[in-house]
Amino acid sequence: MATYRVLSLDGGGIRGIITVVLLKRLAAEPGLGGWLDEVDLIAGTSTGGLLALGIARGLDLGAIEDLYLTKGRAIFDDSWLDNVVDLGKVIGANYSLKGLTRELQRVLGETTTLGDLATRVLVATFDLDNVDDPGRGAGEPRTWKPKLFHNFPGEGTDAGVLAWKVGLYTAAAPTYFPSYEGYVDGGVYATNPSMCALAQALDDRYGPPAALNDVVLLSVGTGTNLQYIPRKNVDWGYAQWARPIVTLMLDGASGIADFQCRQILGARYQRLAPVFPAGTNYAMDDVKHVTAMHAFASGIDLSETAAWLRAHWMTP
């Protein structure tokens, strides 16, 4: 039986409602009551990072579900004035961070730090400039780089960083939101943070690491759009690739992490990533279809994942 349980939550914007519904439904499965209480590490990127912070803060899944249903439009609020200033989205991010900031401060607390959270968390972000990074060594070059915020004890911990700020860092998806304090969405390299979480669990810099054979990992996606470019030779420039490249990059990073974890962990790894029906395409900011996404998640067959949790996750 496993002694170190990892929950990894993908990015996906408003599609995070799907993740919440799936987690909530799993808790209602026979024999799985309180399964989330046994988690040792929750990793998340973007909307998954927000969920990780909320769950570690002790928020009820029903309350988080309600946030997606009732506050989505306030977070993805694209005013006509903003579009004028941004030249119809040619320049400037699509949305302001004001609505998201307000909600994160309200639900996580304005003074809550990562160290105040009851569970270990790992949140993927990307640092656009490491000039102010306290961990930057003498002579280390100035550059951008991935940044994983965590609350593990030891040297280099981020336990003192405000949780709501980390939420903004990980949710600042390029083109959708502006960067915040020099950070953007970790989805640029880890839409699916499963491998990041596995590496963190095995890292001996923060106390005794987990043994690889003791780790079980459940990775949950936000729904997969069936997308493709129906051409063999695509001769596109900046303008044509601008939006497709973001989605392509996010899907590619998610898929390779799934492959890597499956190879390393074998039966101790489970991926729950529902696929949308052909012809259905939900964008990360598709708030008008949040009810439809909720209904979609409510109909997913969870029998395989529930059986895996009973076999590999629950304490006998």
Side-chain angles (χ1 to χ4, degrees), residues 24 40 58 74 77 80 90 95 191 199 224 240 242-243 258 290 305:
K24 188 178 175 183
D40 294 290
D77 181 18
W80 67 268
V90 174
Y95 309 103
T191 308
T224 302
Q240 296 102 321
R243 182 50 64 89
D258 176 44
V290 67
T305 301

Side-chain angles (χ1 to χ4, degrees), residues 6-10 41 43-45 122 124 148 189-203 212 215 217-220 252-266 269 271:
V6 179
L7 175 63
S8 176
L9 306 174
D10 282 19
L41 169 62
T45 298
L122 184 76
L148 295 164
Y189 67 94
T191 308
N192 172 355
S194 296
M195 274 299 295
C196 298
L198 180 58
Q200 183 75 20
L202 303 177
D203 195 329
L212 180 59
V215 175
L217 197 157
L218 173 62
S219 175
V220 184
S254 179
I256 196 63
D258 176 44
F259 169 77
Q260 291 165 332
C261 284
R262 199 173 301 278
Q263 294 297 110
I264 294 171
L265 296 174
Y269 170 76
R271 173 76 170 161

Side-chain angles (χ1 to χ4, degrees), residues 8 14 46 53 67 104 138 143 146 157 162 164 238 300 312 314-315:
S8 176
I14 195 65
S46 191
L53 293 169
L67 284 174
L104 288 179
T143 185
T157 183
L162 293 172
W164 68 265
Y238 294 122
I300 297 298
H312 297 279
M314 300 303 291
T315 300

Side-chain angles (χ1 to χ4, degrees), residues 35 91 182 187:
W35 74 275
I91 62 172

Side-chain angles (χ1 to χ4, degrees), residues 1 3 86 102 107 247 279 288 312-313 315:
M1 178 59 64
T3 58
D86 292 346
R102 181 173 59 250
V107 300
T247 305
K288 64 181 179 296
H312 297 279
W313 189 283
T315 300

